[in-house]
Amino acid sequence: MRTYIEELKENEKTKIAGFITKIRDTKYMVFLILKDVTGEIQVSFSKEEQSGLIEDALKCTVGSVVTIEGKMVLSEYVKNGGKEFIPENLKIESIAAASPLDEGAEIDSRLDYRWVDLRSTKNTLTFRIQSALVETMREYMYEHKFTEIHSPKMIAAASESGSDVFELTYFDGKAYLAQSPQFYKQMAMAAGFDRIFEVGPVFRAEKSFTNRHSTEFTGFDIEFSYIDSYEDVMDMEEGILTYALAKIKERYGKEIEEIFGKPVIVPTEKFPRIKLKDLYEEIEKRYGYTVPESEKNDLTSEAEKLGCKFAMEEYNSEFLFVTDFGPEKRAFYHMRDENGTPLGYDLLWRGVEITTGAQREHRYDILKKQAEEKGLGKDVEFYLEFFKYGCPPHGGFGLGIDRLTMLLLNLPSLKETEYIFRGPNRLTP
């Protein structure tokens, strides 16, 4: 039975396996550094005592995969926590060619050989943390009586706006890749599911080359019924993120600070909330930032950064809810108040918008009218049908898991946090 490196016990005969990351041949010893998904350990071959293994050990190359039987012992002369592995048997599983990646290679070169790039300790840790992040968010959902669904990603009509979608040939007709599970998670409300969430792929046909955009990413979406206002949606998101960050800090906080240079800060107070108009006034007064009136119905990228700076200075909070956006910048299915203001919000974290959430319009006649105002009448006929036969008041939001990981770990781009990145110029590997 194979044992993970982090689980090795002193002087217990066992078997380890993984990739060789370093090889050192000295006068009396050969040292291999072996890495598995849990960590690294030095394997020490004595040329005098293990002469029968030396020939095979020296056949190995960096990147080769081996299985080694032996014992872990403690030694004050060894790094990696003072642990080394004394081998009794060595099996070469595969010999690796020289790495195609130079040390310090740029991210786009690394993406060409993503399977090699992902072997690094930092990358392995990135995806263990991302997995734990999704696990803890799921945990919160189940504890709050949410049902996980899996909605289709091929749809008959372009979702939401009618633009920025990928078109497919579907037998003798056309289909589209879904921009979000929005329509189907609302269908679950009409179906009486009450509370649902989904973790799945999202597709956006945008020729955007920023560090936080991609053409395919993983979304974490929720929707729930019988809300009184969009404040309930904000409260729910606040609860999820606070819970998840606390769990991640407990499990990985030390490693994140050491390797990624950013502490995990768990909120201790409610996230502050501010109207969009008031935020623009604050950042103009404090930082001299202005935009034309025509742009003040939405947040610019710079306003997102300054909004987070304001939140830290004013509230000592990394998070900021921004409300009261203009209707022209919000989706047709957002409920509006008596003044026509959408009942929704954006959530900012560490200088970036991570969520758009809202109370949805659940009344058929009003929803149909708002869709027609956006020129979407025929495209969303199937969606409007969901609301003809009764639907409770509801709301929800979506989070990008890759963007959330990028901000949590202080990484420069989604290219680092998507297992395999997809962008306008990237469709391989």
Side-chain angles (χ1 to χ4, degrees), residues 182-196 223-230 232-233 333-335 358-364 367 383-396:
Q182 184 61 45
F183 291 169
Y184 293 108
K185 62 181 187 171
Q186 286 188 261
M187 188 187 89
M189 300 302 96
F193 278 27
D194 205 86
R195 295 180 161 210
I196 63 92
E223 204 78 19
F224 61 111
S225 291
Y226 303 104
I227 65 173
D228 295 319
S229 99
Y230 69 104
D232 296 338
V233 183
Y333 47 78
H334 287 200
M335 184 179 280
Q359 179 167 0
R360 318 302 188 188
E361 181 52 72
H362 62 283
R363 296 162 294 186
Y364 174 78
L367 186 60
Y383 163 76
L384 294 174
E385 286 285 307
F386 301 159
F387 302 90
K388 268 189 177 179
Y389 308 100
C391 185
H394 62 278

Side-chain angles (χ1 to χ4, degrees), residues 2-8 16-21 33-42 80 119-122 124-125 128 255:
R2 175 194 175 202
T3 302
Y4 283 116
I5 288 169
E6 71 174 7
E7 297 171 352
L8 288 172
I16 59 175
F19 291 89
I20 295 171
T21 62
I33 303 299
L34 189 74
K35 175 186 182 297
D36 69 16
V37 74
T38 68
E40 290 185 334
I41 194 166
Q42 176 178 292
N80 292 327
R119 293 178 188 174
S120 76
T121 298
K122 186 174 182 179
T124 300
L125 181 60
R128 290 185 79 188
E255 289 171 282

